């Protein structure tokens, strides 16, 4: 491992226990920074309510750390919106944000649009499918942003069990993202969970980044942040164990292809290989091909959007 990465691991990798809540509240009051928690959600009625409840109870009512909890619904057909609102979140539908620009499917699209409907100086993203959720996921990753002025983005790190096997989750991370980062961006090799959906960043950074609209958003954001603010401005915090719904192998294949495409766009902004993936499903007449586009549309930095600039002036 690069010596620079070893030094980074020693100075920019922490545990949630390193920053107790009272100290974080004091730092928040001292610096005057506000915190928004954003949950991108699509058909997550089984888990989103519990997550919002824990954040509101532990980090709004018991401890005044979080200023707003926003669930951005990206077109759910279940009761995600109702459950989230009942638990105390402000629910905004993706299509209501920046309506002049038709929305496209994808998690990155939702995260990008959330910058227009949140007010926090620090934005904390939390996936809405987590089980056995702990408020440590939020306090852990916003902590360094409150106490370390030169840190701009913090990723959560955790164990990811798969079934009964410890540490076997994160299959796309191990088979696609980690090899890509080690080979092409070795300074990012120290991130334990580079694709994790739990991370926090300063608005001043997020508004300058392009957002891949789909699965590639986490890798793209990490690579772009490295180039924009440097390795020392990035950090990670151990928050324990992450349990969530696992996707099937074909869904993981599409995710991996999108992540590869996102990486490829950053390696060469010119000629690219075929941006599609063919998979196979057994049908009545044998195996049938299914081809999916993995072309990775990206949204421009939010500072280039007129509505966002007008909002900042107002």
């Amino acid at each position: 491992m690069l010596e620079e990465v070893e030094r980074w691991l020693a100075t920019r990798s922490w545990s949630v226990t390193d920053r107790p809540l009272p100290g974080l509240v004091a730092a928040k009051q001292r610096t005057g920074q506000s915190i928004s928690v954003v949950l991108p959600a699509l058909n997550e009625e089984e888990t989103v309510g519990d997550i919002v409840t824990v954040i509101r109870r532990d980090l709004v009512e018991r401890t005044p750390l979080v200023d707003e909890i926003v669930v951005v619904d990206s077109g759910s057909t279940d009761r995600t919106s109702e459950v989230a609102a009942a638990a105390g979140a402000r629910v905004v539908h993706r299509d209501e944000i920046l309506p002049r620009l038709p929305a496209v499917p994808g998690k990155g699209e939702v995260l990008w649009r959330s910058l227009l409907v949140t007010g926090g100086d620090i934005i904390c993203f939390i996936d809405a499918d987590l089980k056995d959720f702990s408020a440590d996921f939020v306090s852990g990753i916003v902590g360094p942003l409150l106490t370390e002025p030169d840190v701009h983005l913090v990723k959560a790190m955790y164990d990811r069990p798969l079934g009964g096997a410890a540490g076997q989750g994160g299959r796309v991370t191990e088979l696609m993202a980690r090899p890509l980062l080690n080979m092409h961006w070795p300074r990012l090799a120290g991130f334990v969970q580079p694709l994790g959906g739990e991370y926090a960043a300063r608005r001043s950074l997020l508004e300058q980044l392009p957002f891949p609209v789909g699965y590639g958003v986490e890798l793209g954001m990490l690579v772009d942040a490295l180039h924009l603010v440097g390795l020392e401005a990035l950090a990670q915090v151990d928050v324990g164990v992450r349990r969530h719904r696992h996707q099937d192998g074909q869904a993981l294949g599409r995710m991996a292809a999108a992540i590869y495409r996102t990486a490829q766009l950053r390696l060469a902004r010119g000629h690219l290989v075929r941006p599609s993936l063919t998979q196979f499903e057994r049908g009545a007449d044998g195996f049938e091909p299914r081809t999916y586009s993995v072309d990775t549309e990206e949204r421009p930095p939010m500072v280039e959007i007129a509505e966002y600039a007008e909002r900042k002036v107002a």
Side-chain angles (χ1 to χ4, degrees):
M1 183 174 286
L2 294 174
E3 289 186 9
E4 181 183 10
V5 176
E6 292 181 348
R7 289 194 300 272
W8 179 84
L9 282 169
T11 61
R12 286 293 185 263
S13 294
W14 294 292
S15 167
V16 64
T17 58
D18 292 335
R19 294 177 176 82
L21 276 175
L24 296 185
V25 173
K28 181 179 190 298
Q29 294 172 343
R30 184 174 63 252
T31 60
Q33 298 177 90
S34 55
I35 298 172
S36 300
V37 176
V38 173
L39 283 75
L42 177 63
N43 295 329
E44 302 293 356
E45 67 174 348
E46 294 184 4
T47 51
V48 68
D50 290 341
I51 297 172
V52 171
T53 296
V54 169
I55 298 172
R56 185 166 189 81
R57 182 192 66 208
D58 294 353
L59 301 180
V60 176
E61 296 170 352
R62 292 180 180 173
T63 304
L65 188 68
V66 169
D67 296 281
E68 63 175 346
I69 307 169
V70 179
V71 170
V72 183
D73 190 328
S74 58
S76 297
T77 56
D78 64 2
R79 297 182 60 253
T80 290
S81 291
E82 294 88 340
V83 171
R90 176 162 61 92
V91 177
V92 184
H93 292 272
R94 176 198 62 194
D95 295 347
E96 297 173 358
I97 308 170
L98 200 62
R100 72 166 174 85
L101 193 64
V104 296
K107 177 185 177 183
E109 177 83 351
V110 173
L111 301 184
W112 182 72
R113 288 176 186 257
S114 75
L115 298 182
L116 272 163
V117 293
T118 51
D121 303 301
I122 294 170
I123 311 294
C124 174
F125 297 122
I126 300 290
D127 280 351
D129 66 343
L130 303 189
K131 302 174 182 178
D132 303 322
F133 180 77
S134 165
D136 287 350
F137 275 73
V138 175
S139 61
I141 56 179
V142 302
L145 296 167
L146 291 170
T147 61
E148 308 287 335
D150 54 345
V151 170
H152 291 258
L153 184 149
V154 183
K155 298 278 292 189
M157 57 177 167
Y158 33 66
D159 294 315
R160 294 185 67 178
L162 178 62
Q168 293 303 305
R171 291 161 287 174
V172 176
T173 292
E174 300 302 334
L175 296 175
M176 177 59 71
R178 200 178 307 285
L180 280 172
L181 292 175
N182 275 264
M183 287 186 289
H184 298 296
W185 296 281
R187 297 170 69 202
L188 296 174
F191 277 93
V192 176
Q193 297 291 351
L195 298 186
E198 292 70 45
Y199 48 100
R202 301 190 190 281
R203 177 181 293 273
S204 57
L205 170 63
L206 293 173
E207 67 186 12
Q208 297 182 69
L209 298 177
F211 276 61
V213 299
Y215 287 128
V217 62
E218 275 83 26
L219 183 134
M221 188 178 297
L222 203 55
V223 169
D224 292 340
L226 173 68
H227 291 302
L228 191 63
V229 295
L231 183 60
E232 287 302 306
L234 312 180
Q236 60 186 351
V237 174
D238 187 349
V239 297
V241 180
R242 183 186 197 267
R243 294 183 174 87
H244 65 112
R245 182 186 67 253
H246 293 284
Q247 300 194 55
D248 63 36
Q250 291 208 335
L252 295 178
R254 295 190 291 276
M255 184 184 300
I259 288 165
Y260 178 74
R261 172 72 163 166
T262 300
Q264 190 183 52
L265 285 168
R266 279 150 181 78
L267 289 168
R269 296 279 179 176
H271 59 285
L272 301 171
V273 299
R274 170 178 173 258
S276 58
L277 174 73
T278 298
Q279 296 177 319
F280 294 88
E281 297 178 9
R282 185 182 289 279
D285 299 318
F287 285 102
E288 300 173 355
R290 301 282 189 274
T291 299
Y292 301 88
S293 171
V294 293
D295 205 5
T296 306
E297 183 175 349
E298 298 197 3
R299 294 303 192 187
M302 188 57 80
V303 291
E304 298 178 9
I305 300 299
E307 289 87 340
Y308 187 78
E310 292 168 1
R311 172 177 177 264
K312 291 190 73 174
V313 170

